[in-house]
Amino acid sequence: MRAIAAIGAILIWSTAVFAQDRAITVASTTSTEQSGLFGYLLPEFSKAEGIKVKVVAVGTGQALDIGRRGDADVVFVHDRPAEDKFMAEGHGVKRFDVMYNDFVIVGPKSDPAHIAGDKDVVDALRKIATAKAPFISRGDHSGTHEAELRLWKQAGIDVGTGKDSWYREIGQGMGPALNMASSLNAYVLSDRGTWLSFKNRGDLTILTEGDKRLFNQYGVMLVNPVKHPNVKAQDGQAFVDWLISPSGQQAIAGYKIGGKQLFFPNASH
């Protein structure tokens, strides 16, 4: 009986160790991290599935490159053209919509470019460029940076000519970009989630919002285990499946700051 009990204890211990060892790496954006979403979401997933998640929070471009190298099991990002390219290259298994929010142009309350209340984001950017009002760009090939560049292009503005004067690329994440905008009383394009969680606002406020071109969709993809055999396909897929499940979608909807919802679930199946 003692031997049987001992074997049972070993099996329980082994199962516990195995469960503790279940962990995946998710390459994601700074906005999901800095908004506090992951801090809220991941314990819910780990509790439900027994899988720990290590997040590498970088710009979307870098996150996809991490996936291309097979150094992550899942990528969770927000730049649809770049995501489609990633899939076309065979690096992802299948892409799913997960959630959305929107971008806003934040700037000083003094508003030297007079964009307050302008619902046309392209018009607002033209006014900023004409006024040569200071603008902080992440410059990090993130989803936010790529969205910003597309908007400047639609506005017909070559921001390359403004570098080192009114237009400043900093090569950093959303939090540092907002901090610099706050210290310099500059304009910046931000995802709403990070803005709502940002504390060091100084004189900054939302000045332009509501244009449909500011829509910000997030997608998730399991990194292709055929191309990258080290990918933890089963546990990575469990994370993808949970995110787009009713439980995951409800958890996303439940994350709020000051009573305001930061992300809106819209999973595709």
Side-chain angles (χ1 to χ4, degrees):
M1 291 296 291
R2 287 182 181 176
I4 293 171
I7 291 169
I10 289 169
L11 287 172
I12 292 169
W13 176 81
S14 298
T15 303
V17 169
F18 177 73
Q20 287 173 2
D21 287 343
R22 292 182 70 188
I24 59 170
T25 298
V26 175
S28 191
T29 74
T30 61
S31 58
T32 45
E33 178 80 2
Q34 292 174 358
S35 65
L37 177 69
F38 275 151
Y40 173 84
L41 207 61
L42 298 185
E44 295 287 321
F45 167 71
S46 296
K47 182 180 175 183
E49 300 293 334
I51 301 168
K52 293 182 179 179
V53 180
K54 175 191 174 186
V55 174
V56 181
V58 289
T60 285
Q62 289 175 274
L64 290 170
D65 284 342
I66 289 169
R68 284 187 177 93
R69 295 195 299 269
D71 291 335
D73 304 299
V74 175
V75 289
F76 185 7
V77 291
H78 66 139
D79 181 359
R80 187 58 188 266
E83 293 167 49
D84 289 343
K85 184 172 186 287
F86 182 85
M87 289 297 300
E89 293 167 349
H91 292 291
V93 174
K94 186 176 180 181
R95 183 200 169 278
F96 297 91
D97 285 340
V98 177
M99 62 189 188
Y100 70 92
N101 63 6
D102 63 342
F103 295 112
V104 293
I105 295 183
V106 170
K109 292 171 185 171
S110 58
D111 190 22
H114 306 294
I115 67 166
D118 195 335
K119 299 287 186 185
D120 185 327
V121 64
V122 167
D123 183 58
L125 290 176
R126 287 187 185 125
K127 288 176 180 175
I128 291 170
T130 299
K132 295 195 182 305
F135 186 96
I136 304 302
S137 171
R138 284 177 56 169
D140 61 351
H141 304 293
S142 60
T144 303
H145 179 223
E146 295 299 332
E148 178 218 310
L149 293 179
R150 285 193 292 272
L151 291 169
W152 284 117
K153 188 174 181 179
Q154 290 174 36
I157 306 295
D158 178 8
V159 288
T161 60
K163 286 178 183 175
D164 299 323
S165 56
W166 62 274
Y167 184 85
R168 297 184 60 173
E169 288 184 313
I170 64 169
Q172 297 186 60
M174 197 69 254
L178 283 166
N179 275 320
M180 183 166 283
S182 178
S183 66
L184 297 177
N185 274 342
Y187 295 93
V188 64
L189 181 76
S190 174
D191 70 281
R192 191 183 293 269
T194 307
W195 169 252
L196 286 173
S197 63
F198 183 64
K199 306 299 183 194
N200 184 34
R201 294 183 179 182
D203 200 40
L204 297 183
T205 189
I206 292 176
L207 295 170
T208 295
E209 60 184 329
D211 191 317
K212 64 182 181 181
R213 289 169 289 194
L214 292 170
F215 180 76
N216 181 29
Q217 178 70 52
Y218 289 78
V220 69
M221 295 162 282
L222 177 71
V223 176
N224 190 348
V226 175
K227 193 176 278 280
H228 305 287
N230 59 310
V231 166
K232 297 174 183 173
Q234 185 176 344
D235 288 349
Q237 188 62 50
F239 180 63
V240 172
D241 290 344
W242 184 82
L243 278 178
I244 64 176
S245 74
S247 296
Q249 294 281 282
Q250 187 176 355
I252 289 167
Y255 180 54
K256 298 177 181 180
I257 292 180
K260 293 183 178 179
Q261 187 172 332
L262 274 70
F263 299 93
F264 298 84
N266 67 340
S268 60
H269 295 276

